[in-house]
Amino acid sequence: MIIKDFIQIPALSGKEKRRLYIYLPPEYDNNTESYPVMYMFDGHNVFFDEDATYGKCWGMKDYLEQTNPKLIIVAVECNHEGNMRLSEYSPWNFEDKQLGKIKGLGKLYMDWLVTKLKPEVDASLRTKPGRDYTSICGSSMGGLMTVYAITAYNHIFSKGAALSPSLWCKPENMLQLIHDSAIAENTILYMDYGSAESGYKTRMKYILKQVGDAFLDKNVLLSLRIVPGGKHCEACWEQQIPVFMKCLDYPKD
């Protein structure tokens, strides 16, 4: 069952409403069990093709219905106005030749998620609110935010899946953050990149190795994978769902 609702993030977009998607396991209404929770970025791209930016979603709904991993998923739509998605999904200010100057509001977004959204979810649903049962997932800029969250908010998230993360955005800041952060040794991180993605064979290959090494130095349980022929799109990320769900230890029913 997927519940569609609307929420506001006043600190980021005032009274403007954005969609909130909540997936509940099929047996949720028929028992008293509590469930782990996964938070996902770009919620409009997760479940339904008709809501997806480019007409193709991740297909997460189909996967969950086929496998029933006994998991609640909370997915929040991004801000579509101008470059606000880039701004909300970047922890740091950055500048790009094509995009111009982007103000990083990622910390504001994550502070809202962990101090406002998560407490409301835990209060209204039967969740297992502890760190060991809380994960986060995203792709592209959402993948960057996943890497950021698993590092800067490691006391909240024990698991994360970052697909095609935009690590080109201030990699030196990310490396310093990983170096300076207290990351628990039971942290699980899945991170991948497609071999057919733009720039993989040049700078991104080097950055991935640096970030991967930094996490390994922190004893993170890292799965770093180059997807053969993988592209930067929802259709490709859909194919990786069984892989990263297994890496995050969400087994099939």
Side-chain angles (χ1 to χ4, degrees), residues 192-206:
D192 71 18
Y193 211 79
S195 67
E197 292 193 50
S198 174
Y200 164 65
K201 294 181 180 179
T202 53
R203 189 176 179 224
M204 273 305 303
K205 188 174 183 178
Y206 177 67

Side-chain angles (χ1 to χ4, degrees), residues 107-139:
K107 184 180 186 303
L108 271 177
Y109 184 94
M110 287 306 306
D111 285 345
W112 166 80
L113 192 152
V114 302
T115 64
K116 181 68 173 176
L117 179 62
K118 185 179 185 301
E120 289 181 356
V121 169
D122 292 335
S124 60
L125 298 174
R126 295 195 314 275
T127 69
K128 294 181 177 180
R131 175 185 179 274
D132 289 346
Y133 304 100
T134 307
S135 61
I136 194 161
C137 175
S139 62

Side-chain angles (χ1 to χ4, degrees), residues 2-65:
I2 297 175
I3 301 169
K4 286 188 181 184
D5 204 349
F6 287 93
I7 58 167
Q8 297 172 333
I9 310 179
L12 293 171
S13 50
K15 295 182 179 180
E16 186 71 24
K17 293 183 179 180
R18 63 181 78 187
R19 287 170 290 189
L20 173 70
Y21 302 80
I22 298 177
Y23 167 83
L24 298 176
E27 70 278 8
Y28 181 88
D29 288 336
N30 298 320
N31 62 32
T32 59
E33 186 177 353
S34 296
Y35 297 87
V37 181
M38 175 185 284
Y39 291 87
M40 295 188 70
F41 298 97
D42 291 310
H44 55 291
N45 288 337
V46 175
F47 297 111
F48 303 105
D49 287 345
E50 59 267 28
D51 292 347
T53 302
Y54 301 107
K56 175 69 184 81
C57 73
W58 281 41
M60 182 64 85
K61 178 177 179 289
D62 293 340
Y63 173 83
L64 295 168
E65 289 177 348

Side-chain angles (χ1 to χ4, degrees), residues 70-222:
K70 299 187 183 303
L71 172 72
I72 292 172
I73 292 183
V74 179
V76 182
E77 182 178 18
C78 76
N79 188 334
H80 298 282
E81 182 181 355
N83 286 328
M84 285 306 298
R85 176 180 179 273
L86 298 176
S87 187
E88 289 185 359
Y89 286 0
S90 175
W92 306 285
N93 299 336
F94 70 95
E95 188 169 355
D96 181 86
K97 290 181 180 180
Q98 294 181 332
L99 301 170
K101 294 182 179 180
I102 303 296
K103 183 178 181 180
L105 299 176
K107 184 180 186 303
L108 271 177
Y109 184 94
M110 287 306 306
D111 285 345
W112 166 80
L113 192 152
V114 302
T115 64
K116 181 68 173 176
L117 179 62
K118 185 179 185 301
E120 289 181 356
V121 169
D122 292 335
S124 60
L125 298 174
R126 295 195 314 275
T127 69
K128 294 181 177 180
R131 175 185 179 274
D132 289 346
Y133 304 100
T134 307
S135 61
I136 194 161
C137 175
S139 62
S140 192
M141 291 298 290
L144 172 68
M145 285 290 283
T146 295
V147 177
Y148 172 67
I150 207 73
T151 306
Y153 298 79
N154 191 255
H155 60 294
I156 301 292
F157 304 100
S158 65
K159 307 176 183 182
L163 286 71
S164 304
S166 297
L167 296 173
W168 53 265
C169 179
K170 288 296 188 81
E172 65 277 8
N173 290 37
M174 182 63 77
L175 289 168
Q176 190 64 51
L177 176 65
I178 297 170
H179 179 269
D180 294 342
S181 296
I183 303 177
E185 292 189 3
N186 66 342
T187 299
I188 301 173
L189 176 61
Y190 170 91
M191 189 165 60
D192 71 18
Y193 211 79
S195 67
E197 292 193 50
S198 174
Y200 164 65
K201 294 181 180 179
T202 53
R203 189 176 179 224
M204 273 305 303
K205 188 174 183 178
Y206 177 67
I207 294 172
L208 279 169
K209 185 177 185 303
Q210 283 189 306
V211 172
D213 285 345
F215 277 121
L216 290 174
D217 286 344
K218 288 286 187 172
N219 296 312
V220 170
L221 303 175
L222 174 69

Side-chain angles (χ1 to χ4, degrees), residues 52 55 129 246:
K246 184 175 182 179

